[in-house]
Amino acid sequence: MLAESSTEGTKAIANQYELVRQTTDEERKRTSEALNSIYEQATGETSALFRQTSERFIEIVRQMREMSAAMSREMEATRGELRKGILELPQETARAPRRCAG
């Protein structure tokens, strides 16, 4: 009877140990899957954020280049007007009627 009781106790302990091991393995698998899912989601969101930031930066640089080109054209046009004005000024001065102080 004592031997039978010990055997049943040992079987009960072995069954409990197996149950704990199975539960632990299942929980480890669920935790691993959850962490992988979180990692994939975070990686995807980070990638999308960098892509959006990069696209916005490229757009800003493009706009700055356009503004720079427009400013350069405006400055060149202003220089041309100044040159024209400077060259025409002596001719206009020479053509202007002279007033004598009398």
Side-chain angles (χ1 to χ4, degrees), residues 4-22:
E4 191 178 306
S5 180
S6 287
T7 303
E8 287 178 20
T10 302
K11 285 181 183 178
I13 290 172
N15 288 338
Q16 287 298 319
Y17 174 76
E18 184 61 25
L19 181 62
V20 168
R21 189 187 64 74
Q22 287 176 355

Side-chain angles (χ1 to χ4, degrees), residues 77-93:
T78 302
R79 284 187 197 117
E81 290 295 320
L82 285 172
R83 281 188 207 114
K84 182 180 173 184
I86 289 171
L87 293 175
E88 290 178 356
L89 185 62
Q91 293 173 0
E92 288 178 9
T93 304

Side-chain angles (χ1 to χ4, degrees), residues 20-94:
V20 168
R21 189 187 64 74
Q22 287 176 355
T23 304
T24 302
D25 282 347
E26 290 171 5
E27 190 60 35
R28 182 190 54 80
K29 287 177 185 176
R30 279 195 296 269
T31 302
S32 178
E33 290 170 359
L35 287 175
N36 283 335
S37 175
I38 290 169
Y39 173 78
E40 291 297 324
Q41 181 181 0
T43 301
E45 290 173 359
T46 302
S47 178
L49 179 64
F50 278 123
R51 187 172 42 258
Q52 289 171 355
T53 302
S54 176
E55 290 169 357
R56 183 64 183 136
F57 179 76
I58 290 169
E59 179 62 21
I60 289 170
V61 169
R62 185 189 62 75
Q63 290 174 356
M64 289 176 68
R65 284 182 179 158
E66 288 176 1
M67 285 190 300
S68 176
M71 288 172 58
S72 181
R73 287 190 298 271
E74 288 292 323
M75 288 178 65
E76 194 56 42
T78 302
R79 284 187 197 117
E81 290 295 320
L82 285 172
R83 281 188 207 114
K84 182 180 173 184
I86 289 171
L87 293 175
E88 290 178 356
L89 185 62
Q91 293 173 0
E92 288 178 9
T93 304

